[in-house]
Amino acid sequence: MVNHQHLNITSEDPTVIATPNPSTVIDEKVLTDALKIDVRDHLTPHNDTSNPFAFTPEQLSALLDPKNLPLLRTYGGLEGVARGLHVDLQKGLMPHAPTHPNITLDQVMKEKDDSVYVEEIECKRTPTLHSLARQLTHRTDASVPLPDTTAFPQRKSVFGTNTLPEASTKSIFVLMWIAFQDKTLILLAIAAVVSLGVGLYEDIAVPEYDTFGNRIPGVKWVEGVAIIVAILLVVLVGSVNDYQKEKQFRKLNAKKEDRAVKATRNSTAIMISIHDVQVGDILHLEPGDIVPTDGIFIEGHNLKCDESAATGESDAVRKQPWQVCERLAAQQIKEDETRAHHLPTAGSPSSESATAAEKTQPVVEHKSSPDPFIISGSKVLEGVCSYLVTSIGENSYYGRTMMALRSEPESTPLQEKLNALAELIAKLGSAAGLLMLIVLLIRYFVSWRYGVPDQPTAIVMDIMKILIVVVTIVVVAVPEGLPLAVTLALAYATQRMLKDNNLVRVLAACETMGNATTVCSDKTGTLTQNKMTVVAGTFGSSYRFLKNPPTTRTDLIEISKVSSTAPKEALNIINQSIAVNTTAFEGEDEKGEPCFVGNKTETALLQFSRDIHAEHYDVLRSRWPIEYVYPFSSERKAMATVIKVPHPTQPDQVMYRVHVKGASEIILGLCSSLLTLQKSTNDDYHGANARTLTADDRSRIERIIQSYATRSLRTIGIAYRDFEQWPPKGPAKNVDDDIPYDDLVDDKGLTFLGVVGIEDPLREGVPEAVQACQRAGVFVRMVTGDNVVTAKSIAKQCGIYTPGGIVMEGPTFRKLPLSEMDNILPRLQVLARSSPEDKRILVSRLRELGDIVAVTGDGTNDGPALKMADVGFSMGIAGTEVAKEASSIILMDDNFSSIVKAIMWGRCVNDSVKKFLEFQITVNIVAVILTFISAVASPEQKSVLTAVQLLWVNLIMDTFAALALATDPPTLEVLDRRPEPRSAPLISFTMWKMIIGQAIFQLVVTLILLYSNVLNYPTESALLQTVVFNTFVFCQIFNEINCRRIDSNLNIFSNIWANKFFIVIFFICVLGQVMIVQFGGPAFQVVPLDGVHWAIAIVIGLLSLPIGVIIRLIPNDVFGFLFFNTATRERYLGGNVNTVPSVYVAGNERVPWDPNERTNTMASRSSKHNDNHSFVNGSIRSVE
């Protein structure tokens, strides 16, 4: 017997544990000091009387950062921590429990059980999540219940809540200050202050008198004040927009971060909000979960976590009970000690030969040691477990990391494109401003030849006026509204997309989705309803049953009669298999009705088991201890559970039964015997009669599987096998080593119990949604793990598979050489029996060929494909946390139709920005040229549009127009055109045509009004200048309506009532203009107008609409002579935006789409004639 010794500790890292013997490297004193520093820091009991628990948040955090196994032992292990947190490891927390009595750390450490030493630990397998949590009374709700804020007051006051503190948001004043940092605005503000100062001086020190000798009220200060007010208004509106935008994104982020987790409370497994998790809760993890909080492993099977997100280590870390981990650490030390003991000392004669030998010996590396610490933010790769929560919120590992990583949201590709464009326009505007400044200053100083002004203030004032107009020109030319328009369009779209069940996680995805060219969709739950029921099946090879069989088929038994016609022992083994080899449980739906909750295939099997009057699944699960679990994996397409059952012939012995279920053809391939349905006296669960599986049996069952698959049924095979010992190949060298799945099946010795066909009906609206995608030029492919026949059948119903298309299996596709793969991709419509790796290969190849790819995925292994795609859609209901984390958009309803909405919104965002661009550039061109011409032509170097007027135009143009045009909702029309390639210009030729046409019209009418004497007023007349300003503004207001369409369609009013923003802003602009003209007076340098002059301005403004019609009617091809370069000509004039789309295939290959043929196909499908030729068939033929 080994002496019991406590281990000395050199650090908090469990991998560095000192040996009891004095070392040649570190002496014992150092070890003792290290012990004092590392552990004792966290062993001082707290003196807080309001804390009834033994620990402070810092003491619990010390367990995990870094991982500190010795400290856990000092706390009394898992049980000690649970005692110190007043939690029962079987029942979980009790909401609204009586007030906890105070317990100290000393009490916990005194009570710990020191009789269990590292060397003697016998780790007993206890029921775990897989059995224990499933034996509890289960209740869950589809929607996560709101956290009960009154529960757990003591816990919350000590440990806080599982939320991070609100990120510090910029106040409205900070945002205003940021908006004011704009260089041109600062320049304008300085000019305004100088103008105000000079104006005040002139009004006070140099009074003016009229012809009667009365003093004229001084109004020279008004312009300076008006400019300052206008600047403040521009800054205020911009910052309020930013503030609203930040608020919207905060709301979206809160929605994004909330999710449901499975916990045990009051002996009941329930779903709770992640924000409601408390320290002391018992949570359950399954493959694909992202760990929500820090904690200590209680029990589980084969749990492996990827902690790379937290620690940077890419190895999967095995999780085991703390005693097992401690024993392994002790063994490791002994091995290292032995190795160190045998190494020759330096300088000994054998040392040189040893060194040489060492060089030839490969270095043995340890695989990462298992530990009991569950780190928040890590991902569960495989296995299941329950764990005790020790740190939440900002005290958890993930919380601390997130607090350190808080960052600003990144800009999207469209924003970057537009920022570059805005910079270019600003440079052009600044160049125009500089040229204007030079010309006006030259003119001003040349005018001195007739006499220099008497007053120095007059000179300063004149130069200030020139500067103010020049700076205002630059302000108007700088399109600061462009980034604002994108931000508004994206913020509005993401909010509205949420109502359409699309939760946007990455902003860029919103705009990218508009030009997606291919969608690779999952089948289950996306195209189908994920409401599965067993409708057919075969036990053995001959006992066949069906839901509602035809009366002519006497060989098919009605499902409801299975319990009375099948032998009891056969049903027993099948029901045992279904009960123990599933993880679903009974709960309640949102209406409070009882239902099964969990994987939909498993809920269908449990429901079937209940329908054939099996014993309650909980009774069956709890009857036999679970020895080992192999959770479902998409690589092996199967899952297995090992249970201990009494030996049928030796009552004092046990044997080990493995129940396996999975893809039917794969399970059949692993079997060598077959269930027979002969009745026998044995009706217990000892096993059923079996015989050898012959080649005839195999081909018969394969035909049955095919027949189910052609009816779009998902086929699940069920098999079992008994072993005399566990592990099957004798004890492993290390008791904690994994037992490979292959040990159960590599000799193909399973007994085939049967196959069931599970129906998963198509979602409503999926064929129409697929048709809408194809109409929009988006090629839809199905990528599924189901077998070829089932996949093909479902794809045909959806309209994805059409004659002429290609259906292929994943393994075959994977092995294709690139040239062959590229030939097949244009027609590849269905990829069946595919693994996540096949999906990743498909996505990467399509992207290399120039596609913009959208992908749907729900499993942990879909992560790489979702990350690689241009837009990754994960499933909000069925998706694992890893899939959601890897995706850009979450489909809240798991429905394919929501993808069409995402395409529509994506196109809508792109269109909104282009509408605004068309409007803004028109105003820029007109304002800059009109100001330049009028200022240069004026004897006083005075522009017809004053600084304050230009700032009002800037406000209309930048902020109001951005709001009005960026909030147009999408219409179905956006699906009637092909996706735009990545190389498409930001401003299309149709848009340039409208911009230049409208600019010419507006310049011509304003210059005629100003200089042609048509109204019989001198050019310098205040009335005429007011009319010109009014006309100019109304041209912009009506051109805003004109810019609602950026194509050549003439109906600019379509869907206008759907955009309330637009209508409200239109009237605000009109009302604002009326107020300015009638009451703006000296501030805006306008005079009130009468009815005739108002009519002139409004009628000329209205002419923008018919001019827009004329411009749209001019064919683009007329301007072909402007493009000398063929590629540029093709890029801009390569066809009308609104032509009938072609179907996107791959690379740059497209085939024409015939809507009539497609409609016929849909009609024929609805009348069940699914073999009609559809559009791809005809179109591919046309390519051939």
Side-chain angles (χ1 to χ4, degrees), residues 46 80 103 242 271 302 411 418 561 568 675 705 751 857 912 921 929 997 1011 1041 1073 1103 1161:
H46 64 80
I103 184 169
D242 283 347
M271 304 302 281
N302 198 26
S411 59
L418 283 167
K561 294 180 180 168
K568 185 84 168 88
L675 172 77
I705 291 170
T751 299
S912 297
I921 292 175
I929 295 176
Y1011 296 115
I1041 301 176
Q1073 183 62 15
L1103 280 176
T1161 309

Side-chain angles (χ1 to χ4, degrees), residues 498-742:
L498 195 53
K499 290 180 184 166
D500 287 338
N501 296 308
N502 284 289
L503 171 60
V504 179
R505 295 184 72 256
V506 179
L507 263 188
C510 184
E511 63 198 46
T512 310
M513 195 55 212
N515 294 319
T517 53
T518 184
V519 175
C520 301
S521 174
D522 272 354
K523 176 183 80 69
T524 308
T526 311
L527 298 167
T528 58
Q529 291 177 21
N530 210 9
K531 289 181 182 168
M532 303 204 187
T533 43
V534 174
V535 294
T538 303
F539 294 156
S541 66
S542 54
Y543 183 90
R544 299 182 65 184
F545 55 88
L546 184 67
K547 188 178 183 180
N548 306 326
T551 48
T552 52
R553 295 290 301 272
T554 51
D555 58 325
L556 297 177
I557 292 153
E558 164 63 46
I559 282 191
S560 56
K561 294 180 180 168
V562 168
S563 56
S564 55
T565 55
K568 185 84 168 88
E569 61 275 16
L571 288 181
N572 279 351
I573 191 84
I574 286 164
N575 288 325
Q576 181 188 54
S577 177
I578 290 172
V580 301
N581 199 23
T582 49
T583 57
F585 56 85
E586 200 167 11
E588 294 171 359
D589 60 19
E590 53 268 37
K591 295 175 187 165
E593 305 283 323
C595 67
F596 286 110
V597 177
N599 176 292
K600 299 298 180 184
T601 308
E602 296 189 346
T603 59
L605 288 168
L606 285 172
Q607 188 57 51
F608 167 69
S609 186
R610 177 170 288 180
D611 292 345
I612 59 174
H613 309 303
E615 276 186 86
H616 195 277
Y617 74 99
D618 260 352
V619 175
L620 294 179
R621 278 179 186 174
S622 52
R623 188 174 300 175
W624 302 282
I626 287 179
E627 185 66 22
Y628 209 87
V629 175
Y630 298 90
F632 180 82
S633 117
S634 49
E635 275 75 36
R636 55 175 174 253
K637 300 221 179 289
M639 77 173 281
T641 304
V642 184
I643 55 173
K644 269 189 206 172
V645 295
H647 203 289
T649 54
Q650 300 163 17
D652 54 334
Q653 298 287 316
V654 292
M655 61 182 189
Y656 297 89
R657 177 165 296 161
V658 180
H659 281 294
V660 187
K661 76 165 190 293
S664 50
E665 61 272 37
I666 290 171
I667 299 295
L668 181 63
L670 301 172
C671 294
S672 58
S673 53
L674 177 71
L675 172 77
T676 62
L677 277 90
Q678 297 164 352
K679 295 199 183 227
S680 68
T681 52
N682 159 36
D683 66 346
D684 204 350
Y685 291 86
H686 289 313
N689 296 324
R691 61 177 171 79
T692 307
L693 181 70
T694 64
D696 285 350
D697 292 330
R698 195 178 292 278
S699 66
R700 177 180 165 79
I701 295 167
E702 280 169 357
R703 283 199 307 277
I704 289 169
I705 291 170
Q706 289 286 317
S707 75
Y708 291 163
T710 50
R711 290 165 42 206
S712 308
L713 302 184
R714 163 175 277 198
T715 55
I716 300 292
I718 304 170
Y720 86 107
R721 180 178 188 175
D722 289 334
F723 289 105
E724 294 291 328
Q725 62 172 14
W726 186 260
K729 298 195 172 175
K733 282 183 192 169
N734 185 342
V735 289
D736 302 305
D737 276 355
D738 292 342
I739 297 142
Y741 172 76
D742 291 345

Side-chain angles (χ1 to χ4, degrees), residues 801-802 804-808 823-824 827-831:
Y801 174 70
T802 51
I806 290 176
V807 177
M808 189 172 269
N823 286 336
I824 277 171
R827 300 187 193 177
L828 182 67
Q829 293 173 335
V830 181
L831 193 62

Side-chain angles (χ1 to χ4, degrees), residues 327-405:
R327 179 181 66 205
L328 291 173
Q331 278 176 2
Q332 190 62 60
I333 287 163
K334 282 182 188 166
E335 284 173 23
D336 290 347
E337 219 177 280
T338 315
R339 202 175 293 123
H341 187 67
H342 289 303
L343 279 177
T345 54
S348 68
S350 60
S351 66
E352 281 179 30
S353 57
T355 311
E358 244 178 67
K359 283 178 185 168
T360 57
Q361 287 279 326
V363 180
V364 181
E365 287 189 6
H366 308 302
K367 60 179 184 179
S368 60
S369 316
D371 67 65
F373 301 109
I374 309 288
I375 293 186
S376 51
S378 57
K379 299 167 186 173
V380 179
L381 297 176
E382 57 179 279
V384 287
C385 89
S386 57
Y387 77 100
L388 172 69
V389 174
T390 57
S391 296
I392 59 174
E394 57 186 322
N395 295 314
S396 68
Y397 198 103
Y398 183 67
R400 287 196 300 277
T401 310
M402 289 312 285
M403 290 298 286
L405 288 182

